[in-house]
Amino acid sequence: FKTKVSKVNYLAIFVCAILSFVIGMFWYSPVLFGDAWRKHVGLTSKDFKKAKKGLMKSMIIGFSSGLIMMFVLSYFIDMFVTTSFAAGSIIGIITWAGFLATSMTGIVSWENKPWELYFINTGYYLVVLAVTGGILAV
């Protein structure tokens, strides 16, 4: 491995974690897939309003997990000595296909959720990993 943790661009990781958070805000909003997502996870508007109490905790957990994901993706990109947006996006897509798209099938097979929910959730990660993979590479 040619990767060294000291070579990781922490500012880029932080910016990409913010970007993944912003993409999620739009992805799960009524503008895109929010209504369908809420329906499939069984949340009513009333439930959603109650959930706002714990919103800060959820946001901190979500952002923290995004930071970890961006750090690992950055490590993969550096490990493959990738410096172009396209190549970084490909690594993001491969990471998505190998880890997220496969492991998240459990929501359909074990949790009996519809495929639409699977596609909403995994689609979000596909977009995030493809875009941030490209950014982290350059």
Side-chain angles (χ1 to χ4, degrees), residues 20 23 27-28 69-70 73 85 88-102 104 118-134:
S20 72
I23 291 170
W27 194 268
Y28 291 101
M69 187 183 322
M70 293 307 120
L73 182 59
F85 188 91
S89 291
I90 289 170
I91 291 173
I93 292 167
I94 291 169
T95 302
W96 169 83
F99 297 104
L100 291 162
T102 53
M104 290 182 76
Y118 168 84
F119 289 121
I120 291 169
N121 288 334
T122 58
Y124 160 72
Y125 287 109
L126 173 61
V127 170
V128 165
L129 289 170
V131 171
T132 58

Side-chain angles (χ1 to χ4, degrees), residues 5-136:
V5 174
S6 62
K7 288 176 58 180
V8 171
N9 185 335
Y10 293 102
L11 178 60
I13 289 170
F14 186 75
V15 168
C16 285
I18 291 171
L19 181 59
S20 72
F21 201 76
V22 170
I23 291 170
M25 286 173 36
F26 285 108
W27 194 268
Y28 291 101
S29 77
V31 173
L32 291 177
F33 305 106
D35 292 337
W37 175 81
R38 257 194 352 227
K39 180 185 86 173
H40 291 306
V41 296
L43 287 175
T44 64
S45 295
K46 188 177 178 181
D47 295 329
F48 205 65
K49 288 177 184 173
K50 279 185 193 176
K52 287 185 179 182
K53 290 180 188 176
L55 188 60
M56 186 56 72
K57 178 183 172 185
S58 296
M59 290 172 69
I60 290 169
I61 291 170
F63 184 73
S64 299
S65 65
L67 274 173
I68 294 167
M69 187 183 322
M70 293 307 120
F71 180 81
V72 172
L73 182 59
S74 177
Y75 189 82
F76 287 166
I77 288 167
D78 191 48
M79 188 172 65
F80 288 103
V81 194
T82 302
T83 58
S84 75
F85 188 91
S89 291
I90 289 170
I91 291 173
I93 292 167
I94 291 169
T95 302
W96 169 83
F99 297 104
L100 291 162
T102 53
S103 64
M104 290 182 76
T105 58
I107 69 170
V108 176
S109 60
W110 300 107
E111 298 173 25
N112 296 317
K113 301 289 184 182
W115 279 103
E116 185 180 10
L117 181 61
Y118 168 84
F119 289 121
I120 291 169
N121 288 334
T122 58
Y124 160 72
Y125 287 109
L126 173 61
V127 170
V128 165
L129 289 170
V131 171
T132 58
I135 292 169
L136 289 169

